[in-house]
Structure formats: structure tokens, C-alpha cells
Amino acid sequence: MRVLGVDPGLTRCGVGVVEGVAGRPLTMLGVGVVRTPPGDDIGPRLVAVERGIEEWLDRFSPELVAVERVFSQHNVRTVMGTAQASAVAMLCASRRGIPVALHTPSEVKAAVTGSGRADKDQVGAMVTRLLRLSAPPKPADAADALALAICHIWRAPAQNRLQQAVARSRLQQTAAPQPSAVKGRTR
């Protein structure tokens, strides 16, 4: 499985591509950051993020795009920019018919480090170890994007089994004969 991880942001949008399957060594195919000038208007910045993500999609042809789920932050301006960059990534993937998966920051940290409260240095260190890199990817947004891809590769088999079980259950419920109403006379 080839996954493009996206750590959304307007100033720095981390991107990283990882290939592999759960239980086997993973391979980093590329890592980087799509940057936009903080002083520019929002429209041109979103277009720049779109162009950057489109280039990564063209270059690596991922089977899935894993995006960090936006969570509430104290700084509304920061969360808005993150949400907008996240939407651009999802739009780019969806336009091409590439499935999108969302993972929370704590889910990613727990998958990669074993603790949902790990700090950025711990995530970077584990990404370095897991991908057998000589140094942690910089900036941290790039390491976070790789961590998203790793998280999805490792969790996808279990998530797929759960989704299939739910789908089978729903199918069985709709296919099961429904009790018919018994018509009778009352005395």
C-alpha cells in the first residue's frame, strides 16, 4: 500500500509518502513541506497548497491519502487555516477518486510511539527508526506527515475488517425476513 500522509497547515503543509504493509518494514518514498507566505491573502495560499499536493499526487500516485483530523485549538485563526488546508488535501484526493482517511493527532502518536501524548521529538525519533532514516525529517510537519502514513498502513487492515463486519451485519439485517403483522379478530 502506498499512502500520502498530509499534516495540514497554511504556512507549512507536511507531506510524506510511505509504502508497505502492516507487519513488514516500511519504505519512505518522499517527504517534504508545501509552504505558503504568511503575509499573502488566503485565496492564493490555498491555491499554492492545492498545487503542491497535486504535484505530490502526480509524482507518487498514492492509493490512499491520510490526513490529520482537525481538532479544536485555542487559536481560532490557526485552526481555520489548518481546516482549510485539510479540505484542500481531501478535495485533491477525492477529485482523483483516491480514498481519504482521517486520523486524530493522538491516534497517530499512539500508533507510532505507543503513547497518544508523545511530543514532536518522540514522533520524529520513531519515524526515523521505523523508516530507517539517517536523521529525523525536518521540519516536524514533514515527520508528522510520514507518521500519518505509517499510522494508516498499520491500522488499515483492522479498520477494513471492522468496516466489512459492519457492512455484513447491515446486509444481514436488511435480508432477514421481517415478521409480518398478524391480522386477527378481536372479540
Side-chain angles (χ1 to χ4, degrees):
M1 171 179 277
R2 182 178 290 191
V3 177
L4 170 65
V6 178
D7 181 38
L10 268 183
T11 303
R12 288 182 318 273
C13 182
V15 286
V17 181
V18 176
E19 189 169 62
V21 295
R24 302 278 171 115
L26 303 174
T27 304
M28 180 190 75
L29 301 180
V31 66
V33 177
V34 176
R35 296 178 187 272
T36 69
D40 286 2
D41 289 337
I42 187 71
R45 292 179 77 188
L46 292 172
V47 169
V49 170
E50 178 195 25
R51 286 183 181 144
I53 291 172
E54 290 288 351
E55 288 174 16
W56 280 82
L57 293 171
D58 287 341
R59 183 172 173 200
F60 292 101
S61 302
E63 298 166 55
L64 186 130
V65 175
V67 180
E68 183 175 274
R69 184 181 300 273
V70 178
F71 64 98
S72 179
Q73 296 175 342
H74 298 292
N75 186 340
V76 174
R77 186 173 174 171
T78 300
V79 78
M80 287 300 295
T82 302
Q84 291 163 335
S86 177
V88 168
M90 291 187 283
L91 175 67
C92 290
S94 296
R95 186 185 295 140
R96 294 172 181 239
I98 301 170
V100 175
L102 299 174
H103 297 283
T104 65
S106 59
E107 181 184 357
V108 174
K109 292 173 186 179
V112 174
T113 70
S115 170
R117 295 177 177 244
D119 63 26
K120 289 203 174 277
D121 289 338
Q122 291 170 312
V123 171
M126 284 307 296
V127 164
T128 302
R129 177 183 285 168
L130 294 169
L131 297 176
R132 300 168 314 282
L133 304 175
S134 58
K138 298 289 182 188
D141 308 278
D144 289 348
L146 292 171
L148 275 151
I150 292 167
C151 173
H152 187 78
I153 290 170
W154 284 356
R155 292 182 174 229
Q159 287 175 336
N160 290 342
R161 286 192 297 275
L162 285 171
Q163 288 171 346
Q164 289 168 357
V166 168
R168 277 193 305 274
S169 174
R170 286 184 182 147
L171 185 61
Q172 289 171 350
Q173 288 174 355
T174 59
Q178 301 296 317
S180 59
V182 176
K183 293 182 183 178
R185 295 187 350 202
T186 59
R187 294 185 178 189

